[in-house]
Structure formats: structure tokens, C-alpha cells
């Protein structure tokens, strides 16, 4: 099931606390997402990279969501679905929340929606890279069951290491229980 029918069952978007809603990312959101991206990363994605990623949403290999408060985009997240004969895997491409909206559960809600989406698409595992210095992000990912699996030296801007994290068996009842607990 795609994210749209799930959202349509609740209206057109998923309601989050504090007046924030989660919905599929569209090109129109990039005008507001680009400054958030630029503030989060010294070497950020360009608009054309985002547009290329959004073009791949149509073929099912990507999913991107935005978090909005009113008309203001306050965060976004995405995954790349990687086909595998033993069960598809998802690679988290980004999870970014505007600095003034952090620590309010928005990243958790974005990840919850992505988790439901990739499980609906048949994924059995997901992975990501996170800055070695970002203890807060690592703690968030551990709550979702991610564990460290390796290090990519000088991954960020050819200066900071990334910790590679994996979460397996996301298609199990135990993982569904974890997601339910996170959404409470």
C-alpha cells in the first residue's frame, strides 16, 4: 500500500501533535525545504537532486514525506527502496527537521510514516548513515531498532565519519509492536 491511501484513510495527511501534519513531498515543497537542507548540511543537496529523487517516487523506488505546520514545511524525510530477492531493503536518504522545530517528535513521526510505508511495500530491513558526532540522531534511530554495523570514514564533507546503522526483521509482529509503542 502506498502512503497516499493510508493518508486518505485519515484525511489527506497524517496529523501529528503540535499542529504538524505529515504528507507526501511534492515539488512545491522544495521552495521551503531547500533552506532547511542548507542549514542542516554544509554540503547540501541541490534542488535538481531533490527533483531527481521526486521523479523516482513515481516508479516506486523512493518515498519522500514532508512535515508541515500550516503551510510551513518544518521537516522532511525520504527512503530509497532497494529490490532484493530475499526481501527488499530501504535506505534512509534523509531525515531533517528545521532547527527551531527540533525535539518535538517530528523526526519520530516522519520515521514512523516511512517505516509503515516500507513495510507495506515488502521491505524486511532498512539502513542509514548518521554523523558520528550526532548522539541525538543515533539515539532516535536506536529507538527504531537500528544498531551500528560499520563506519564510513570521512563520509560527510570528506571530514566526518558516518556510522552505518541497520535494522532487520521489520516485517515481524515484534517490530509492529515497537512501532506501535513509538507512536503512543
Amino acid at each position: 500500500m502506498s502512503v497516499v491511501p493510508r493518508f486518505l484513510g485519515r484525511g489527506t495527511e497524517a496529523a501529528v501533535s503540535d499542529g504538524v501534519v505529515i504528507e507526501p513531498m511534492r515539488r512545491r515543497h522544495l521552495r521551503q525545504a531547500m533552506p532547511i537542507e542548507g542549514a542542516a548540511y554544509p554540503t547540501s543537496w541541490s534542488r535538481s537532486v531533490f527533483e531527481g529523487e521526486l521523479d523516482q517516487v513515481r516508479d516506486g523506488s523512493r518515498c519522500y514525506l514532508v512535515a508541515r505546520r500550516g503551510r510551513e514545511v518544518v521537516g522532511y524525510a525520504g527512503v530509497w527502496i532497494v529490490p532484493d530477492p530475499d526481501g527488499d531493503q530501504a535506505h534512509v536518504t534523509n531525515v531533517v527537521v528545521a532547527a527551531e522545530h527540533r525535539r518535538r517528535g517530528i523526526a519520530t513521526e516522519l520515521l514512523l510514516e516511512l517505516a509503515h510505508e516500507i513495510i507495506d511495500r515488502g521491505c524486511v530491513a532498512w539502513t542509514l548513515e548518521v554523523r558520528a558526532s550526532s548522539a541525538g540522531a543515533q539515539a532516535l534511530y536506536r529507538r527504531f531498532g537500528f544498531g551500528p554495523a560499520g563506519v564510513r570514514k570521512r563520509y560527510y564533507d570528506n571530514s566526518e565519519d558516518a556510522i552505518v546503522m541497520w535494522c532487520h526483521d521489520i516485517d515481524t509482529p515484534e517490530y509492529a509492536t515497537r512501532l506501535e509503542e513509538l507512536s503512543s
Side-chain angles (χ1 to χ4, degrees):
M1 172 192 288
S2 81
V3 73
V4 174
R6 195 168 52 251
F7 286 150
L8 289 175
R10 297 183 283 205
T12 58
E13 58 221 8
V16 179
S17 62
D18 201 23
V20 174
V21 296
I22 309 288
E23 66 183 11
M25 181 184 259
R26 302 285 183 247
R27 285 179 184 256
R28 69 177 177 267
H29 296 121
L30 294 178
R31 181 179 54 80
Q32 294 181 60
M34 294 309 302
I36 298 169
E37 173 79 4
Y41 300 107
T43 305
S44 57
W45 282 10
S46 67
R47 183 179 179 97
S48 65
V49 168
F50 270 106
E51 289 171 345
E53 289 292 298
L54 291 176
D55 288 344
Q56 295 179 71
V57 167
R58 286 186 217 106
D59 71 15
S61 67
R62 305 289 193 279
C63 175
Y64 282 88
L65 305 173
V66 294
R68 281 189 305 103
R69 172 180 275 139
R71 293 179 174 235
E72 178 189 8
V73 172
V74 297
Y76 56 90
V79 292
W80 167 30
I81 309 296
V82 181
D84 188 298
D86 296 324
D88 293 352
Q89 301 171 1
H91 182 97
V92 177
T93 56
N94 44 31
V95 178
V96 183
V97 175
E100 62 273 19
H101 295 280
R102 291 182 187 151
R103 305 284 186 246
R104 296 182 186 175
I106 296 169
T108 298
E109 292 298 330
L110 284 164
L111 283 167
L112 280 166
E113 290 300 326
L114 287 177
H116 290 299
E117 179 68 20
I118 65 174
I119 291 166
D120 287 350
R121 292 186 187 197
C123 291
V124 298
W126 55 339
T127 186
L128 54 81
E129 292 91 10
V130 60
R131 288 182 185 278
S133 65
S134 187
Q138 291 171 43
L140 170 67
Y141 300 138
R142 280 193 301 277
R143 289 178 45 222
F144 277 83
F146 285 89
V151 174
R152 295 192 197 278
K153 295 287 187 188
R154 302 170 62 88
Y155 182 77
Y156 291 101
D157 302 315
N158 202 28
S159 64
E160 184 175 358
D161 295 348
I163 297 173
V164 178
M165 299 181 86
W166 275 92
C167 179
H168 297 278
D169 302 321
I170 64 173
D171 58 337
T172 64
E174 294 80 13
Y175 199 71
T177 299
R178 178 188 290 265
L179 294 178
E180 184 65 32
E181 290 169 356
L182 285 167
S183 64
S184 302

